[in-house]
Amino acid sequence: MPGRALDMSISTLKMVVVPVLTGVLIRWRFPALVHRVVPYGQALAVVAFLFVTGSIVARDAAAVIASAGVLTLAAGLLHMMGFGLGYAAAR
């Protein structure tokens, strides 16, 4: 179990901490470049998300197709609960 926790911690560092620190460093060292790129940030994020999601789905397409109903239900419930909690919190 300790080895698994270490692997999970390293994975978290790679997926969360490193990109955040890289963004902070880029913003600190190259503010003019960041200022020019920011207007395109949302579009770039959508394209990056599509590529990441597409690569995951393409790799396990058979499993995704086999679980399409459960995945659709889970995604729908997740969004409905999020909207509901957001609405309740805003009231």
Side-chain angles (χ1 to χ4, degrees), residues 10-47:
I10 291 170
S11 175
T12 301
L13 284 172
K14 286 184 202 175
M15 297 302 292
V16 177
V17 177
V18 170
V20 169
L21 289 178
T22 302
V24 169
L25 180 66
I26 290 171
R27 194 173 181 104
W28 173 60
R29 296 292 293 161
F30 307 105
L33 174 66
V34 171
H35 183 71
R36 285 192 311 234
V37 173
V38 163
Y40 308 104
Q42 288 181 334
L44 291 172
V46 169
V47 170

Side-chain angles (χ1 to χ4, degrees):
M1 189 70 142
R4 191 168 172 184
L6 179 62
D7 290 341
M8 204 188 292
S9 298
I10 291 170
S11 175
T12 301
L13 284 172
K14 286 184 202 175
M15 297 302 292
V16 177
V17 177
V18 170
V20 169
L21 289 178
T22 302
V24 169
L25 180 66
I26 290 171
R27 194 173 181 104
W28 173 60
R29 296 292 293 161
F30 307 105
L33 174 66
V34 171
H35 183 71
R36 285 192 311 234
V37 173
V38 163
Y40 308 104
Q42 288 181 334
L44 291 172
V46 169
V47 170
F49 179 77
L50 288 174
F51 278 115
V52 170
T53 306
S55 69
I56 292 168
V57 171
R59 185 180 50 188
D60 295 326
V64 171
I65 291 169
S67 303
V70 174
L71 291 171
T72 302
L73 178 65
L77 288 173
L78 172 73
H79 286 87
M80 285 188 278
M81 288 171 35
F83 292 143
L85 287 172
Y87 179 78
R91 292 196 75 171

